[in-house]
Amino acid sequence: MRKLLFITALIFAVCSGTKAQYLKYEPLYSSPPSSSTLEDGWYKATVQYHNTGTAYKASYTLRVKVSYNAVTAIDFGNGYLHSGINSSGYHWSGGTITLSTDVNGNITGATAKVTIIDKDISPKVYSIYIK
């Protein structure tokens, strides 16, 4: 009977120690903290253009400016810049960025859509893909 009690106590002690070690487990590797926004600045992006009035579509590699998790300017590289602030009479809408992340929460890409309506009333849609 004493042997049975001793063996039971020994098994209990071993099992208890295993559980305590498991609860204190810390991984050797951890992924860096992920970000929920892109840093403000200029980014190279694929911009798909669609003029809804003429049905013209094209795709370009352009620079876009990100501020406060939104695309706020599109640089066409020829001195022509679209932004929400203008004196040309066009209206800028959209630009809010949607992020793509991997399984660890790291940003893998970003998308946004900007619509510009100018004096010819044909909305021009810019679908923006930042990688």
Side-chain angles (χ1 to χ4, degrees):
M1 181 74 167
R2 283 185 169 200
K3 282 186 179 180
L4 184 58
L5 265 163
F6 177 73
I7 293 173
T8 305
L10 183 61
I11 292 172
F12 180 76
V14 170
C15 290
S16 295
T18 303
K19 286 183 182 177
Q21 288 175 350
Y22 179 75
L23 293 175
K24 293 179 183 177
Y25 172 77
E26 292 182 25
L28 294 175
Y29 305 100
S30 62
S31 57
S34 64
S35 175
S36 59
T37 61
L38 288 179
E39 288 185 29
D40 291 353
W42 287 94
Y43 291 84
K44 186 176 174 181
T46 299
V47 179
Q48 293 177 342
Y49 169 77
H50 178 214
N51 183 324
T52 60
T54 63
Y56 178 78
K57 294 181 180 183
S59 185
Y60 304 96
T61 300
L62 303 172
R63 289 181 345 128
V64 296
K65 185 175 184 179
V66 172
S67 300
Y68 302 107
N69 209 37
V71 172
T72 57
I74 303 171
D75 181 3
F76 291 89
N78 57 1
Y80 193 62
L81 180 79
H82 267 318
S83 68
I85 302 169
N86 67 81
S87 59
S88 302
Y90 65 85
H91 175 73
W92 169 290
S93 65
T96 301
I97 291 176
T98 301
L99 298 174
S100 302
T101 57
D102 63 14
V103 295
N104 295 319
N106 301 310
I107 297 173
T108 57
T111 60
K113 188 172 284 191
V114 171
T115 301
I116 296 176
I117 302 173
D118 57 17
K119 56 186 169 253
D120 71 1
I121 315 295
S122 296
K124 295 163 182 71
V125 179
Y126 297 88
S127 298
I128 300 162
Y129 304 92
I130 303 169
K131 293 184 181 180

